């Protein structure tokens, strides 16, 4: 039974709650669950492939992507200056540090906006609604901060206008952004594995309690 079959058997409200919780295991097929999880969690894929009933809409994901790209713009500008100082340091910065920082920034925004810890069944409705409003406010503040990142990055790029690093800035920007999306796949895979294991342990513990009772 695939994820699509399981979701079709549930009401829209149940599907929305399942998506808000970020459950890793939905069906009996591990691969189907993984692909579904990746489509709803990956920064780029989720903008186009996230489930329509997901509380965190594709428009909001696009705003988070804008915030992440602004951060990447600033980091790439910093990396260009590091390339001027010492090429190995700048290359390492652009290949690893900048993409991972961009990814962490993006995941932090998504976590703050979705407030998954408040999407559990035991959480009162008014608390969930308050958490959602706080999450939306965080996205607005992050968007404002991201504009400042963009401005700071533009100032740094302007300072590199006549240097070789300045000529290759856009190439490095695309490279850093792409690396972030690529780094996201193994990181999300780890999150999936950990979540799936925890959900398995929780289900097993519930079965044990039920059998004792």
């Amino acid at each position: 039974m695939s994820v699509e079959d399981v979701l079709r058997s549930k009401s829209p409200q149940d599907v929305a709650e399942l998506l808000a919780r970020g459950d890793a295991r939905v069906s009996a097929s591990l691969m189907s669950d993984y692909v579904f999880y990746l489509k709803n969690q990956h920064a780029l894929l989720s903008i186009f492939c996230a489930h329509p009933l997901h509380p965190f809409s594709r428009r909001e994901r696009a705003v988070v992507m804008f915030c992440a790209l602004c951060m990447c713009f600033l980091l790439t500008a910093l990396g260009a200056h590091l390339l001027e100082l010492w090429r190995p340091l700048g290359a390492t910065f652009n290949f690893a540090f900048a993409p991972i920082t961009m990814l962490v920034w993006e995941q932090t925004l998504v976590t703050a906006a979705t407030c998954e810890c408040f999407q559990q069944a035991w959480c009162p409705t008014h608390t969930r609604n308050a958490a959602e409003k706080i999450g939306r406010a965080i996205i607005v503040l992050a968007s404002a901060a991201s504009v400042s990142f963009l401005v700071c990055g533009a100032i740094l790029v302007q300072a590199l206008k006549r240097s070789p690093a300045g000529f290759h800035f856009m190439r490095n920007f695309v490279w850093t952004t792409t690396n972030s999306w690529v780094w996201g796949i193994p990181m999300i895979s780890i999150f999936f594995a950990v979540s799936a294991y925890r959900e398995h342990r929780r289900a097993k513990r519930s079965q044990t309690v039920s059998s004792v009772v």
Side-chain angles (χ1 to χ4, degrees):
M1 198 172 187
S2 66
V3 173
E4 289 73 18
D5 295 331
V6 173
L7 296 182
R8 275 196 292 268
S9 66
K10 295 179 178 291
S11 67
Q13 183 178 355
D14 290 339
V15 172
E17 289 180 359
L18 181 148
L19 292 167
R21 290 195 306 269
D23 290 350
R25 296 309 312 271
V26 179
S27 70
S29 171
L30 183 64
M31 182 55 67
S32 179
D33 286 346
Y34 172 72
V35 172
F36 181 75
Y37 188 86
L38 186 64
K39 289 195 298 185
N40 283 280
Q41 299 295 331
H42 190 271
L44 182 63
L45 293 177
S46 63
I47 295 177
F48 307 100
C49 304
H51 195 279
L53 293 178
H54 201 295
F56 196 51
S57 68
R58 295 180 182 179
R59 181 183 301 176
E60 290 165 332
R61 294 172 189 271
V63 173
V64 171
M65 175 61 74
F66 167 77
C67 296
L69 290 175
C70 289
M71 170 66 81
C72 182
F73 189 84
L74 174 59
L75 291 172
T76 306
L78 290 172
H81 280 273
L82 291 176
L83 281 170
E84 289 281 287
L85 295 174
W86 189 37
R87 191 168 185 82
L89 177 62
T92 303
F93 185 90
N94 286 332
F95 176 74
F97 181 80
I100 292 175
T101 302
M102 175 184 168
L103 182 62
V104 170
W105 167 246
E106 180 186 356
Q107 289 300 318
T108 301
L109 291 180
V110 172
T111 302
T114 54
C115 299
E116 290 182 6
C117 56
F118 293 105
Q119 302 300 330
Q120 306 300 322
W122 51 263
C123 190
T125 303
H126 65 273
T127 304
R128 294 189 200 180
N129 294 336
E132 288 176 4
K133 291 179 181 178
I134 293 172
R136 302 302 180 265
I138 291 173
I139 291 296
V140 172
L141 293 174
S143 300
S146 296
V147 173
S148 68
F149 295 158
L150 193 61
V151 172
C152 292
I155 294 172
L156 291 173
V157 171
Q158 188 65 24
L160 292 166
K161 195 170 183 180
R162 294 181 177 84
S163 68
F167 292 128
H168 299 302
F169 173 78
M170 286 308 299
R171 183 193 67 183
N172 291 336
F173 174 71
V174 173
W175 171 258
T176 303
T177 304
T178 305
N179 277 343
S180 174
W181 293 335
V182 172
W183 277 102
I185 294 175
M187 291 190 70
I188 291 172
S189 300
I190 293 172
F191 294 154
F192 173 81
V194 172
S195 298
Y197 175 75
R198 290 175 60 186
E199 290 168 19
H200 173 73
R201 289 289 300 272
R202 194 181 306 123
K204 195 171 182 180
R205 192 160 50 244
S206 298
Q207 291 176 357
T208 303
V209 172
S210 300
S211 61
V212 170
V213 173

